Amino acid sequence: MKCSRRTAAGVVRATIRESRTPSFVALASVLTIVALVGAGRAEAATLSVCPSGCPYTQIAPAIAVANSGDTIQIGAGTYSGGLTINLDVRLVGAGVGETIIKGGNSVLTIGAFGATTEPTVSIDGVTITGGVARSSPESIPFARQEGIWALGGGIEIPQNAAGTGGATVTIANSAITHNRAIPSNSDPHGFAFAGGGGIDNWGTLKLTNTTVNDNHAGGRLASDAHGAGILSWTDLTLRKSVVNDNDAIATGPSACSTGGGGIEAFGKIAIGATSVSDNAVELSSSSNCGESQGGGIFVQDGGSATINEVMVSRNRVTASSAVGDAIAFSGGIADYGQLTLQDSTLEANRVSATTTAAAGTANPTSGAIGIVDNATISDTRVTGNEVNATATSGAALAEAGAIQTTETTLSNSLISDNRLTASSQTGSATVRGAGLEHGNGLLEVRNTRISNNTANATGPSGEALGGGIWNDVFFPPPPNPQLILDNTTVTDNALTASPRITVHGGGLFTTFPVILDHSSIAHDAPDDCFGQSC
């Protein structure tokens, strides 16, 4: 069957042919059709903005007269932020460092909080900087008090009326840098949430060839600081991008939790060919409250992450307390949802916890990856990550130099040169699983090398267990841990400790049977294997 497209001229010709009597009425009909077709073919406009010589010298007036489908072409220069975009439009700049949009409570707000329809917006070739979010519309329905939610210093994509999404936004060849989310107020209980220093996303967001760096979430009043670079509640995609040097910090009198130095995701996230490096999460608590986690990436409960060809390096998580426990988790990736990780590198991430409380515990875990639910990891290097616990007089417990997990399949990977240290002056010092720490589920390791991981415990009492792998129960009830090593090598791992500290399983410590299939445990110190199946 041959198909053809009817042009405006074709419509006119057909109408004339079908008119048997050329009358005034017929002619009027023809002219009406021409007018309607011509109106439908009206082209989108390009509105030019530049410091001089253009119709507009600022972006806001161009947005005010734009129609959906228009392009706003922005020349080199610095322009005022604090802009709201509520229609389908393209913002095209002259390039990073050339077109700079600066300032505002949020530099750009895309869509409207509680709207029934949200726009589709694309941004290319701009720098978004200098935004300081001090209060957000989410404060009203969430807590009935403005100022306790500060979201989206650089870009705010608010949630729609149904709370299920927001605007569709694509950002390419751009930079979101030096923005902050700092609450201006707190509720009567001291709660104040800071999130999305760079971007807060309730919509569908895609970043390509874009840098998100040097953004901050926190401040003196913040009880909770999360997603310093990007905080995403729904759908997020990153390709060929960089997320680095962002920090989520809570150190004030109400400080309770911090997470997601680079990225924090409650929904679906896909990251490819991207670097997430040198981000920081810090919690200093004056109360026995909360924890610090996810230096690079934090996948929340109910979220899912697909990570491919990604470098996660030199991120850090710290927690300190003078009155109770200090808990820090996952220097590289904290996973509470579903994680698929492949062809990636996690290296030189750090987790540390310090307590000066007499009865407090310093408990840092998971130098590279902490997996609460389940994960599939393949073709990945996990090397040179560290976990350090320090207690003045309480207990120091450092766990999982590389990976802590319950349910995981790990294949074709390298777990090497990760390190645990625990130190207590008068309390206990314990280290567990310098390479892998596993409990309460199935861990299947295939075609993998676990080597040169080390752990040291210094104190008057305690334990040093599992230089390569620790396999035991995290907490009752079952399922009990099941460990399968298939074509896997556990070698040259080492435990060291003070004289009164118990040391077992330089290669493998296990209290449950282990299935070994074409695998070896050798050249570990002080012993290769301790427990069942040894």
Side-chain angles (χ1 to χ4, degrees):
M1 178 182 293
K2 183 178 179 180
C3 297
S4 63
R5 180 181 177 185
R6 296 190 76 184
T7 65
V11 171
V12 173
R13 286 193 296 268
T15 304
I16 292 174
R17 285 195 303 268
E18 292 165 5
S19 178
R20 297 181 181 274
T21 305
S23 63
F24 177 80
V25 175
L27 179 59
S29 298
V30 170
L31 293 176
T32 300
I33 293 172
V34 171
L36 290 173
V37 172
R41 296 177 66 218
E43 294 184 359
T46 297
L47 290 73
S48 296
V49 180
C50 62
S52 64
C54 293
Y56 306 97
T57 58
Q58 288 291 335
I59 302 169
I63 293 174
V65 300
N67 294 311
S68 286
D70 286 352
T71 295
I72 300 176
Q73 189 81 41
I74 312 168
T78 300
Y79 304 89
S80 298
L83 306 172
T84 297
I85 302 173
N86 277 324
L87 73 166
D88 299 350
V89 70
R90 296 176 65 234
L91 267 60
V92 180
V96 171
E98 297 294 325
T99 298
I100 300 168
I101 309 173
K102 184 176 182 180
N105 185 61
S106 297
V107 180
L108 294 180
T109 299
I110 304 174
F113 176 75
T116 55
T117 61
E118 299 285 3
T120 297
V121 174
S122 69
I123 300 169
D124 195 322
V126 303
T127 295
I128 294 170
T129 189
V132 183
R134 297 190 181 277
S135 64
S136 299
E138 282 79 3
S139 300
I140 298 170
F142 286 166
R144 302 297 175 188
Q145 179 175 338
E146 292 188 14
I148 64 168
W149 287 75
L151 300 170
I155 298 175
E156 168 67 357
I157 307 171
Q159 63 175 309
N160 60 21
T164 56
T168 298
V169 181
T170 60
I171 303 173
N173 310 308
S174 295
I176 295 90
T177 181
H178 290 97
N179 302 286
R180 295 178 291 166
I182 302 175
S184 60
N185 199 0
S186 61
D187 74 3
H189 305 289
F191 173 79
F193 186 98
I199 304 173
D200 176 58
N201 171 50
W202 295 79
T204 300
L205 174 64
K206 181 177 182 179
L207 277 66
T208 303
N209 194 32
T210 290
T211 297
V212 180
N213 73 309
D214 289 303
N215 300 288
H216 170 77
R220 183 180 63 84
L221 294 176
S223 60
D224 302 78
H226 290 260
I230 304 172
L231 177 60
S232 182
W233 306 84
T234 44
D235 291 345
L236 172 65
T237 301
L238 290 93
R239 291 289 300 173
K240 298 181 180 179
S241 294
V242 174
V243 181
N244 70 315
D245 290 302
N246 305 284
D247 58 70
I249 300 175
T251 59
S254 299
C256 192
S257 77
T258 53
I263 303 166
E264 183 162 336
F266 285 80
K268 181 180 178 181
I269 179 172
I271 310 176
T274 289
S275 172
V276 182
S277 301
D278 297 295
N279 302 286
V281 174
E282 179 182 344
L283 174 66
S284 179
S285 178
S286 57
S287 62
N288 199 11
C289 176
E291 58 191 16
S292 185
Q293 54 195 318
I297 302 169
F298 186 2
V299 183
Q300 282 277 8
D301 186 23
S304 66
T306 301
I307 301 174
N308 184 33
E309 296 180 353
V310 171
M311 169 68 77
V312 181
S313 65
R314 299 183 306 278
N315 302 287
R316 58 196 183 278
V317 176
T318 62
S320 62
S321 177
V323 297
D325 298 339
I327 302 173
F329 182 58
S330 303
I333 302 173
D335 171 43
Y336 286 74
Q338 305 291 318
L339 173 65
T340 300
L341 174 67
Q342 60 186 7
D343 297 311
S344 295
T345 297
L346 290 94
E347 67 179 22
N349 300 287
R350 305 283 185 270
V351 181
S352 62
T354 302
T355 181
T356 56
T361 297
N363 184 201
T365 68
S366 313
I369 311 172
I371 301 165
V372 175
D373 196 349
N374 62 75
T376 300
I377 302 172
S378 62
D379 302 287
T380 292
R381 293 172 52 89
V382 185
T383 63
N385 302 282
E386 292 190 11
V387 177
N388 304 300
T390 304
T392 303
S393 55
L397 170 59
E399 306 175 73
I403 301 174
Q404 184 186 71
T405 181
T406 51
E407 296 272 350
T408 293
T409 299
L410 172 66
S411 63
N412 305 309
S413 296
L414 174 66
I415 312 297
S416 177
D417 296 288
N418 303 286
R419 179 171 173 78
L420 294 175
T421 61
S423 175
S424 179
Q425 295 180 12
T426 60
S428 64
T430 296
V431 289
R432 305 191 321 202
L436 303 176
E437 186 186 34
H438 169 243
N440 296 81
L442 172 62
L443 171 60
E444 185 173 359
V445 184
R446 300 194 306 268
N447 307 315
T448 293
R449 182 180 179 88
I450 302 167
S451 64
N452 296 297
N453 302 288
T454 60
N456 175 263
T458 303
S461 63
E463 296 178 317
L465 308 173
I469 303 173
W470 182 91
N471 182 57
D472 202 344
V473 174
F474 286 146
F475 44 80
N480 292 326
Q482 303 174 63
L483 176 60
I484 300 172
L485 302 180
D486 180 4
N487 197 30
T488 289
T489 300
V490 181
T491 184
D492 296 309
N493 303 285
L495 298 170
T496 57
S498 298
R500 296 183 181 179
I501 292 178
T502 301
V503 181
H504 288 309
L508 168 66
F509 175 86
T510 180
T511 58
F512 291 86
V514 176
I515 297 175
L516 298 174
D517 187 1
H518 296 92
S519 298
S520 66
I521 305 173
H523 308 297
D524 303 289
D527 53 351
D528 288 321
C529 185
F530 181 89
Q532 294 199 37
S533 303
C534 293

